[in-house]
Every structure is written in structure tokens, then in C-alpha cells.
Amino acid sequence: MSTPPDPTHYDQTWTLPGPPTRSNLSAADVSSAGLLAFAAASSVTVVDTRSLQLLSSLPLPPPPNASLSAFVTAVRWAPHSLSLSSDFLSNDLVVAAGDRHGRICLLDLRSRSVVLWFETATGTKDDGSGVQDLCWIRTRIDSWILAAIQGRSLVCLYSVSSGRCFYRYDAGSEMLSCVRRDPFDWRRFVVLGFGGLVVIGKAVGEREEEMVVKEVRVRTDVTELERLMERERDLGGGNVGTGPASAVFEGRYCVRCEFSSRWRDVLFVCFPRELVVFDLMYETALSVVGLQRSGKFMDVLPDPNGELLYCVHVDGKLSTWRRKEGEQSYLMCTMQELIPAIGSTVPSPAILAAVICQSESSLQNVGKIYADVPHTSFTEEDYDNPFDFCYESLPVSRTHLISISDDGKVWNWLLAIEGLEDSSKDASDIIVLTEASEVPVLDKNSKDGADKPVISVQSELEKGRARPTYTSGNTGEISFKMNLIGQLQLLSSTVTTVTVPSPSLMATLACGGNLPAVAVPLVAVGTQGGTIEIVDVAANAVAACFSVHGGAVRGLRWLGNSRLVSFSYDQANEKSGGYINRLAVTCVRSGLNRAFRVLQKPERAPVRALRASSSGRYLLILFRDAPVEVWAMTKNPIMLRSLALPFTVLEWTLPTVPRPAAPTRQSSLSLKDRIVGVSADSSTPANSSTQESKTASAEGSQDDTAESFAFALVNGALGVFEVQGRRIRDFRPKWPSSSFVTSDGLITAMAYRLPHVVIGDRSGNIRWWDVTSGHSSSFNTHREGIRRIKFSPVVPGDRSRGRVAVLFYDNTFSVYDLDSSDPLANSLLQPKSLGTLVLELDWLPLRTNKDDPLVLCIAGADSSCRLVGININDRRVSYGPQTEPIKDKFRPMPLCAPILLPTAHALALRMILQLGVKPSWFNTSGTTINRRPHHIPGAALPSEDLRNYIIHEQQFGDAAVPEMLLKVLEPYRQEGCILDDERARLYAKIVNKGSAMRFAFAATVFGESSEAFFWLQLPRALNHLIKKSANKSPPKDSVAASVTQLDDAAMLTRIMSGEKSSLGSGKTDPLGYSQLGFMVFEQKELWETASERIRWHEKLDREDAIQNHVHDLVTVGNLEAAVSLLLSTPPESSYFYVNALRAVALSSAVSKSLLELAVKVVAANMVRTDKSLSGTHLLCAVGRYQEACSQLQDAGCWTDAATLAATHLKGSDYARALILYTAAGALQEAMAALRMAHQPDTAAMFIIACREIHADNLSNMEEDSDEQPGSSVKDKVRVLPGLNLESEEVMVVDELYGQYQRKLVHLCMDSQPSLE
């Protein structure tokens, strides 16, 4: 069932996720704003890709009838943008997640909550069909649906507005792998199967009848797939199961696909040993390349900056592939390691997922527009950056790749193609130097079909990185480089135990006192891999990792605040028997490990547990069915004594805490008063003071340098031993009453803090005992046996000293207040939203004030380490989200992610960047940024003088708004959290390059890549319009000029021989291409792109391929070649009649002689059939190009319509046909479209940019023109149509923009700054 937008919040105040595993099915996605979301166990982890800092980890709540959350198996960022809408679907930080149980939800990163649960098939007969992949599809401009692969072969489409599934597609026996959206048409998507099935779907609405689905198939060898399936059937008793197919194969067989970001209908498909380039329009493979010896393919990632492919291999390698000139065939260029050999464990960690960071590519496009803007991400001024690299050559392309390994590491790789710019212009000149080793690749399109290598790759290892070099015989040198520029370490293995340091004055002072020492905000975590992770809870990061043991860490304790003691054990060989116990002391400061208690022979019993005193001076080693050893943990540990008693549990005393404040009449009885039977009403101040003095005397009688531990024996007896120096003696406490010792349960847990001892047994009973008075009390929890009891920290002002956390044997916990009148009634059960079992818990002792929250640190069974906040008041204790559980929040570097600011403040920053602000505004005097100052000229101005930062006087809206927004953003600026060094320097370069560049920069920073492309192309579009208006267009280079009159005899010979006419080929720049190609509108560009596609299909001889080829030729205006291809249709073909009709009609538009020739050929050959696009071709034959463009647009062929319009149409027809109103001169229509889309800010920016660009063009024309002032040429372009200030439409936009600004200011004032 779907839920309302405001559900229950998580109780976790902080979560450090465990490492991702193959059970997470490589679920990872990067948003357009540069935020990485990936699945780790049952959580969705979010990381900032620029600074590689952990932002948040959102555990999925468990199902209603379960206490455990399933593993997350799919994540996908919602493609929504910043807006002032209150609709939760318009939120810019929403991620969709699916789990192994088949549940799908939307998670809001800002509120850390689930905003929507989709109505999936879980809980029915389809239960267990886990989610394998997710994809967002846009049906209308304001409507999105979510496509999901569930189980092995089911595709479900969900409506976001209702949360319900409105369409299902069952692939039958075909196992499905992934679903991807077409970047050219967001309504279209493809689903890929493991056996090569490709399901092409198109959604034009949210009803089943508005879905169009078609199946095609990519031919591949499925022998290995069938063998794996047979093995799974044998292991499963003839049944493979209904879960996701990727979970069945566990990385042994991977099939992935991605759309090309440049070429429409081109799909890259990787099978384990094949890379296929598939054309969806022609339904055929354009090229197939196979691997011979290299590791199997795992994923394919197209480079957004050029025509390169990056293929991730199962063995952790990354191969780079480059497209051949004029073909859709790729050659391998490099093979490099994603896991460096230096510093890695053996065996090497496995790569689980890899993604391309699109935000960095968009930022690169902004920087490449002007020659004086650096191409590189870092400039040579960054000498203090340890990750800077001095590149001697000019980079052609730079791409950021993020990889995730199963040891909990996130790697940030910089993939750079370097060399002279013109060296990339001729791909055929680049040759590969082979020196060390070869990586043979099989070309499966070769005519002879032989398995022969078509490329050899140099493998050179230099400083742990492969550096292949590629040279050009004529134009220079190009090299492909890969450098590691960042790494984030999360927990590296499954968590086995967790421990926190206990504050103790004896650890730092020579004598005791009444206040505990301040504890460090560190948590030590032991893992299954034998490592000890030191977690800094203030920075939410792993501060250090020590490899201590060869096996799992089974016990871990702090020795004070700077040392750790741990143990592991292995069973000796079967012949000798026994156990090999390993104990070690680790210094957190130096990282040195020192083993102690090293024996030559195996022991009879393994170590069961460790218990360290709060000062770290003493250690108890508990063995299974063996004596307990007491050690003095000096520089060289010394065993003091072996206690041969049948202990069941031992616990050291916690440091003495201050006495609680005197209770009021409304407060409950204290633990001690209730034990001795004195009521609050009968007690007097004198009695209270007398009792306090007696207690203080009893507690102070003990030597402050001595430490004691309480114990329980098998027979239920209790006792306390005191250790001082090397002496161990009986503390001789006052024993509890005889009724306290019962035989109904073995004591299994204990907590000791003077003067109270709390114990729990395997029957769920909790008892506490006052060692100074001997009084005791008890109650039953009605739960399973108790495994651990922990006293909560107490600070001055607390009214309770008896609050404990209890961990049960069913791996759940509860919190009880023993000072309350009814501890069971006032207990706090484990929150259901935790979604995991608890392996270990302890309180984080960082409270310094009674108003500070209690924070419980737990180790989850999902390998996570979590902090759970607990609200405290005089009446009850409850869980609650704490935004600041740790007072001293710390980050190693400022978190410069504007998208994470509160929505109103983010919109304010975007407006400031758009309007223009002096670069010196980014120079701050904050203590954080001083460690890494921006290299921007200009000194920061006083905070009260913010108006001087504004560059230009505002042309639209309220002139007072920019200064008010600067005041709102001042807290972020002082902390250096606006922009990082690279983006601040780039803004300083482009801020005076025009409004369009500022608008593009602001859009890129906030992840609006499509909007950024629009602003980058706007100057070109207006320049195109002005040149047309002034009749100064460049000489015609149209397609018609290239079409010559045919020679009848030659044409007849070519037709009868079946030879196909082809277009001339031109050089392209496969490495220099960027995402700006999305918005080409120039006639030459459109024609060259279409001509490039035609050359790929010339060798295809299938009938359906020929029909598509004819369509391409007609679109670019090459009617001669189209007639030649149509007339070559054999008479026995079912396409003959329709081809003959089109050939006659098209030939009449070329020449009379060609028409006569076509009639002769058609008369000699007769046949029948038709195709849907024939109407378009006939319209072109009679010159009705406007109707042909409309028909192509109705069919969704927008690129073809634009190409056809650019070839044939002029004037108003061209304006109606092109998508980009601007390039055609329909500026009023473009502005009205933005206003109707409820984007008043974008409409105002559009007017500002157009007027500025128009003025610059007029200025340039006056300088370059030799004509007299007032010439007719200038008069034609003097006024920009529809955008003069007196226009009614412009005045409406001005008013709406002013209203938008004022609303934004009010929202900013109502929103508190948030630096997290």
C-alpha cells in the first residue's frame, strides 16, 4: 500500500554502513548533481563524489510482519529538479530503492524518511520476487513512472501519483537483467535479458492501453548460460527459484546494456565475452567484438565526453574502447587495474559496481566553451593538493569514474585522454605501440570468420598504474591515463563486535574524583576479516583500520582511551585437537600491534571473552570451562593470578558518578529508597542528608586507585573482587537477601556501577543489588535470556542512575529505568524501524549536560554500526530523531554540495550565481577554509557590506532581493560551504563571459544538465538567427548542392547490378565530442550526423534494413541514392510494389530523365507491400516537406524531423518544425513555453541572456562591417523580435519574476541554515 508523504522517521541518528556484497546486485547510481547512492546490506548509502564524504545511510524499514529488513538490490535517483513546490514528488533529493523481498519505496534524503511505498506483489503467491533493477520513465512533462524488474522475468510499471502497478510484462522463460531509459526519448526504455532478448517499450501515459512493447533479440552464444542454469537446477533439486537472476549467478554471468549518448537508437550490450553494438531501429548488430583471454565483462559505461566505452571486467580490470572512424565498431585501447596491487589484501577485493559521474562532464562542457578557461579540473596553482597531477599535455577528455569494492571502499578515478588537440582529429592515424604483453580481441564481423587478434595493447606498469601510450604518425601523441584521486573507506567486513571507551579519571589522573574524564568520540569495531576499525562518530567516518588477526575478531575491549585488546582463535588440526588463542594489544596512535600470552602448544579451551577495567590497567580473560586469568596491562602484560572458580559472568565496575539531584514530590522513588522501604513523603531533608553522607562515606572508603569487578558463579552465588596493584582481595560487600538467589535461571549478564550490581539470567529476569546495603529487587522481562546489560552514562542533574540497556539472546534490546516505580511498564522496546538484529551494544559516553540525548551504539547483523538517539524527559523515555547527537560535528574538509542546502537556500544560491557575484565573495575568513584558500583574486569584504559583491544591476524583478539573499547565504559562506576550489575558480573565469554562461554554470552546479546545454547553445542559436535576418548566412552548403544530375546509362547500370549509392565520408572528432551534441540545430551539423549513420548501414541487405536505409537517405535529401536503392529491389520481394511507387514519385522530384528511367525499371518488375513511413516519403516527393515534418514529429522522430526541416524548410515553416524555437527566431513562443511551464525565473533569465547576446552581436557587426551607419542590414536586426521591454509578454514575465523573488526571500528567512 502507498503511504502519505509524512511517515514515521528513522530513529537512527547516525549509521555507518557495512560493506556492500554481491547480494546487493551491484546497485549504484550517481545523480546529475554528483551524489552517489549505492546499496550496502539493507541500507541506501549516499556519498558526495567530489569530496568523497559520507552524507547519510538510510536503512530500509522492515516489512510489517517482520523484524528484519531485506538486502537492498536496486537504487535509482529520481530525476526531479529544484522548485518551490510543496509536492514531495518535486523534491530534488529522492531516491527509489527496491529490496530482495520485492518492496519498492521512495526515500527522501532531506527528511531521512520513506515518502512513498509502492503497491508491489509482496505477501502474495509472487512473494520472493526481488527487485533487480529500476528505471524512471517520463510519460509527460509533469508525469513520471517507475519501471522495475521483479523476479526473474517480470517487468512492472508503477504510477508515482498512485503508487500502483498499471502494467505488467512477463518474459516467460527468459531471465531479465537490466532496464535502461533512452536519453533521446524519455518515454522509451529497453529491458535486456540474459539470453539476448531486448524488450523495447514506450509509455505515452499511465494506462495499459498507452503502452507499446516490441521484442527483438541480440544473437549471442548462450552455452555458458545454459551450463550455469543446469548446475543451479541440480543444486536446487530441479528448481532455480523465482528470485532475481543476478542473485542466482552471483557475478559469474553478467549482462548489461547502455544507450549511446550521441547516436540515437544505438545500444551497447555486453555479454560475458562479447561486446555488441546494436541498432534498435534496424534491429541488427552493427558490430560484435569478443574477448579471448581477458576477464569476463561485467558492465559497459559510455563516456559522456567522447566516443569511448569503458568496460568493467569481473576480475577488477577496466578496458577502454575507441570507435573506428566511420563505423560503429570499437577497438580496445587500454586494460588497467581498478584495484591497485600495492596495499591490497590477498585475495584482492572484488569490484561490485562502477558508474560514470555525469556532473563532472557537464562542468567540463562549461569550461571548454572559452579558450581561456582551463580544460583541467585542477590548475597548476594547486601545489598544496596531494591529489594534483601536473599534466604536460593538453587533455582532450577527462572523465570521473566511481568504483565500489566489496571491502567497503569507494574509489574515485580520473580517466584522462591527453595529447595535442588535433591529434584526435584523425582516428585512423593513431597506432598502438606494443612492447610488453598483448590482449587479443576477436573481431566477429570479419569475413573469413577466423579468430584472429585485431589489436594489441601495451601493458606497462609504472608506479602501480598501467600507462599505455598511443602515438600518431603525423599529428602528435595521445595517451590514456587513469589516476586515483580519492578514496572513501567504510567498514571493510562483517561486524562481529563493537566497543566504546569508558571515561575514567584513573586513566589520566593520579587520584580519584567525583566527575568522570571526558571520553573521546571513538568507537572500535571488530570484523569478520580480522581487522579493527576505529570509527570517529563526530566525523561519521572510519578514522583508522588495523589488520590484527588472520581470522574473525571475537572479542574487543578498550584499554583506556588509546589502546585496544582483542582476541581470536582457531581450532588446531584434528589430530592434535585443542585451540590456538591469539591475543594482541593495538596502539591506536601508532598502529602497532603487540601479541601477548603467546603459547607454543594448543590449549584445551578457547578464549570466551575479555573484560577490561575502565582505566585500562587490568584485564580479565575468560575461557570456556577453564579458570579466569587476571592480567596487569603494563607495557609488557603480566598475569597476576588465575581464578579457578566456575564463573558464568564477570564485569568491572564503572567509574563513580555524581549523586542525583534531590527528588521532588512528583518524582519517583530512587532505587535505594525503594530498597530500604522508605517513602518519599516520610523522608525529611535531615534524613536525606544523613543518608547521602553515609553513602558518600561508604563509597569513599574504597581506595581510588583500586578497581573491582563483580562476578556470578554457576550456583547463582555473587561476589566482588578488588584489584590493587598486584593484590586481589575480596571486597566483602553486603550480600543480598536469600530470596535473591534462585535456581530457576543461570546468570548470564551483569553490570556493575557503585553501589549497584544488576544481573540478568537466561529466563529473562533482571535483579539488582546494592553492595553497600545488601538490599535487592527484581522483575521479569517476559523475554528470552539476557546476554548483555549496560548502564547509561550519568551527568550532574540526572534524576536517574538506574537506566540500563538490555540485550537479549534473540538479538533485540530494550531500555529500562530501574529508578522508576515500574521498570517494566516504563521500558522502551527496540524500535521496529531499526530493521536489523543487534549483535552488540554499548552507550556512547559523550554526554556533558543533562539535556544532551542518550546515544546507544549498536552493531547490527547487517554489518552496520549505528547510533540510536533516545529522548529523555521527566515523564518518559522515547526514541526520536536527533539532528545533532554529537555536539562537536566535524568534517575533514568543507562539504561544498549546494544541492544539499535547504531548498529555499539552494534556490537563493542558484539565483545569486545567475545574476552574478564577484569571485571574491568565495574568499572567506572561516577557520576551515583557511587551511585550503581559494586562488581567486580579491579580498573578502566585511559581512555588513554585501551590496558591493553584486556585479550587475538587476534588469528584472526586485532590485533589493540579491542583497537579502546574500545575507541569507552568509553563514554558508563563512564556513566555506558554497563552492569548492575548482568550481569557484571556474566561476571566476566565466562570470564576465555573459549571462548565458552564468546560467549554464548555475544549472550544472545543481544537476540541471539539460538546462545547462540549453544555455550553452543559446548564443549559437541567436547568432544563427541574426545572421539569417541580416542575410549574412554562410555560403550554402546544403544537400541539394551536392546532388548532381544523373547519367542515365550509369544509373541504369548501377541499378541493375544492385550496387548501392553511398554518401561521401568526412572526418569526425570521436574524442572531442561532448554532450553539447544533444542540441545540434545547424543544417550542416544535422546533415553530417545523419550522413554518418547512413554509412553504418550500407552493407545491410535485409529487407527491413533497406527500408530504414531509404528513410535515412530521404531525410538527408539524397533522393538519387534513395531511388537507386528502391529500384534495386528484386521482383520476388514483398516490398517491390511499394518501393516501385516510391521510386517513381521520388525520381520525379530529381529529374525527368531519372523519372523515365525509373518507370522503365518498374515496368519491367512487378510485386506488392507497404510500410508505415511510406506516407512521409511520398510527401517529400511532391514537395510537401512541412507535412512530412509534422508526421515525423507525431511519430516521435524529433531528430529526423529537425534534420528534414534543416534540409528543406525556410522561414515560418522552419520555426514550427524545429524543437529549438530560438534558432528559428520564434523567441516569443520560447518565452511563452517557459512561462507556461511555471518557470518564471528561467523565463526572465532567457530574456536577459537573449538581449545581452543580441547586443554583443550588434556591436561585433558594427566593428566588422564596412557599410555606412544606418544601413539596411543593421536595421533588419536592430530589434530582437518579441523581446523588447515594451512587449506585454516581457512585462508579464518581469512581474512574475518579482513575485517569485519575494516568495523565495520569505522562504529563506523562515528556513534555518543547515551546515549538514
Side-chain angles (χ1 to χ4, degrees), residues 28-30 34-36 38 47-52 258 298-305 308-313 316-321 334 336-340 351-362 364 377-378 391 397-405 409-417 481-488:
D29 188 33
V30 173
L35 300 182
L36 170 67
F38 65 92
V47 174
D48 177 31
T49 57
R50 297 188 67 86
S51 61
L52 279 190
E258 286 291 344
M298 187 179 75
D299 204 352
V300 57
L301 305 171
D303 190 334
N305 297 322
L308 297 175
L309 291 180
Y310 299 107
C311 292
V312 184
H313 297 251
K317 295 182 179 179
L318 179 74
S319 58
T320 305
W321 301 72
T334 64
Q336 297 168 311
E337 298 282 349
L338 284 175
I339 299 293
I351 294 295
L352 298 181
V355 290
I356 295 290
C357 191
Q358 300 283 347
S359 62
E360 300 297 331
S361 301
S362 302
Q364 190 177 154
S377 297
F378 303 101
Y391 294 99
S397 173
R398 296 167 67 86
T399 303
H400 287 259
L401 181 140
I402 307 295
S403 61
I404 304 171
S405 54
K409 292 181 180 178
V410 180
W411 312 73
N412 188 1
W413 299 94
L414 179 61
L415 310 176
I417 305 172
K481 296 182 179 180
M482 183 173 76
N483 293 310
L484 179 64
I485 61 174
Q487 185 188 86
L488 173 64

Side-chain angles (χ1 to χ4, degrees), residues 181 184 205 234 273 323 355 412 500 524 558 593 614 644 781 871 1024 1046 1052 1066 1232 1275 1278:
R181 182 185 64 217
F184 293 91
D234 295 340
R273 295 197 177 276
R323 187 174 74 90
V355 290
N412 188 1
V500 300
W558 282 93
N593 300 316
S614 57
T781 61
N871 292 330
H1024 177 73
L1046 297 173
L1052 182 61
D1275 292 340
R1278 182 68 61 183

Side-chain angles (χ1 to χ4, degrees), residues 229 347 517 774:
M229 290 297 299

Side-chain angles (χ1 to χ4, degrees), residues 77 146 151 215 246 261 345 454 475 525 536 598 608 610 721 740 796 839 864 979 1090 1115 1121 1191 1211 1244 1275 1295:
W77 283 102
L146 186 63
E215 290 186 2
S246 298
S261 59
T345 59
V454 297
T475 58
V525 176
D536 186 348
V598 179
R608 177 162 58 97
L610 299 177
F721 282 157
F740 182 76
L839 302 180
S864 64
L979 293 180
T1115 304
Q1191 194 175 79
D1275 292 340
E1295 178 63 26

Side-chain angles (χ1 to χ4, degrees), residues 42-71:
S42 59
S43 302
V44 177
T45 302
V46 182
V47 174
D48 177 31
T49 57
R50 297 188 67 86
S51 61
L52 279 190
Q53 297 187 70
L54 178 64
L55 300 180
S56 183
S57 186
L58 309 176
L60 253 63
N65 299 324
S67 58
L68 291 179
S69 296
F71 273 38

Side-chain angles (χ1 to χ4, degrees), residues 569-879:
Y569 63 81
D570 295 320
Q571 196 164 7
N573 56 62
E574 298 180 356
K575 183 177 180 180
S576 59
Y579 296 87
I580 301 175
N581 294 308
R582 297 181 176 89
L583 294 99
V585 176
T586 302
C587 179
V588 176
R589 294 171 179 168
S590 65
L592 296 178
N593 300 316
R594 174 174 294 185
F596 71 99
R597 200 185 176 278
V598 179
L599 303 180
Q600 300 297 326
K601 295 182 179 181
E603 299 182 79
R604 178 178 59 86
V607 176
R608 177 162 58 97
L610 299 177
R611 295 291 182 265
S613 64
S614 57
S615 67
R617 297 179 179 181
Y618 305 106
L619 177 70
L620 299 177
I621 304 178
L622 286 70
F623 293 86
R624 188 184 303 168
D625 302 327
V628 172
E629 296 180 358
V630 184
W631 286 72
M633 301 307 293
T634 57
K635 184 176 181 180
N636 295 310
I638 303 172
M639 188 178 76
L640 302 179
R641 187 173 176 182
S642 177
L643 304 175
L645 294 173
F647 297 105
T648 59
V649 62
L650 302 94
E651 291 291 345
W652 288 95
T653 180
L654 295 175
T656 305
V657 298
R659 300 301 304 170
T664 62
R665 297 186 59 183
Q666 291 80 12
S667 63
S668 60
L669 299 180
S670 67
L671 172 65
K672 189 167 187 177
D673 290 337
R674 192 169 64 251
I675 289 175
V676 299
V678 180
S679 65
D681 293 335
S682 62
S683 61
T684 63
N687 293 337
S688 298
S689 61
T690 304
Q691 187 65 32
E692 288 288 340
S693 63
K694 291 181 179 179
T695 303
S697 175
E699 295 180 6
S701 62
Q702 186 181 5
D703 193 339
D704 289 327
T705 61
E707 296 184 80
S708 58
F709 63 89
F711 61 87
L713 303 180
V714 175
N715 60 1
L718 305 175
V720 177
F721 282 157
E722 184 182 86
V723 183
Q724 183 178 10
R726 297 194 177 187
R727 297 172 50 194
I728 300 177
R729 62 185 181 87
D730 191 351
F731 178 60
R732 302 184 183 278
K734 293 187 177 181
W735 301 105
S737 60
S738 58
S739 61
F740 182 76
V741 180
T742 60
S743 59
D744 57 348
L746 186 69
I747 296 176
T748 55
M750 177 180 290
Y752 181 21
R753 183 168 64 193
L754 285 174
H756 303 128
V757 175
V758 182
I759 63 174
D761 60 28
R762 61 184 177 186
S763 299
N765 298 310
I766 292 181
R767 303 176 177 87
W768 60 98
W769 155 44
D770 190 320
V771 298
T772 59
S773 66
H775 295 286
S776 62
S777 184
S778 65
F779 69 95
N780 190 280
T781 61
H782 304 289
R783 303 279 295 276
E784 294 188 16
I786 299 171
R787 195 173 72 186
R788 196 84 67 234
I789 300 176
K790 294 290 183 178
F791 272 112
S792 67
V794 178
V795 296
D798 273 341
R799 298 187 177 279
S800 173
R801 299 205 306 174
R803 192 176 294 114
V804 294
V806 178
L807 177 64
F808 298 94
Y809 273 109
D810 61 357
N811 295 107
T812 62
F813 71 92
S814 297
V815 178
Y816 299 96
D817 188 357
L818 303 183
D819 278 352
S820 64
S821 58
D822 189 349
L824 189 61
N826 296 324
S827 63
L828 186 62
L829 302 180
Q830 174 177 329
K832 184 175 177 56
S833 61
L834 199 62
T836 185
L837 298 178
V838 179
L839 302 180
E840 190 60 85
L841 56 76
D842 206 344
W843 296 97
L844 200 62
L846 297 181
R847 296 178 71 222
T848 57
N849 187 279
K850 67 181 183 66
D851 296 326
D852 293 341
L854 283 170
V855 180
L856 195 61
C857 179
I858 67 172
D862 60 349
S863 300
S864 64
C865 181
R866 311 188 189 191
L867 301 184
V868 180
I870 298 178
N871 292 330
I872 309 170
N873 54 49
D874 291 338
R875 296 185 177 181
R876 61 171 302 172
V877 180
S878 62
Y879 295 108

Side-chain angles (χ1 to χ4, degrees), residues 289-300:
V289 180
L291 290 176
Q292 188 176 22
R293 294 201 307 264
S294 302
K296 298 178 181 179
F297 286 123
M298 187 179 75
D299 204 352
V300 57

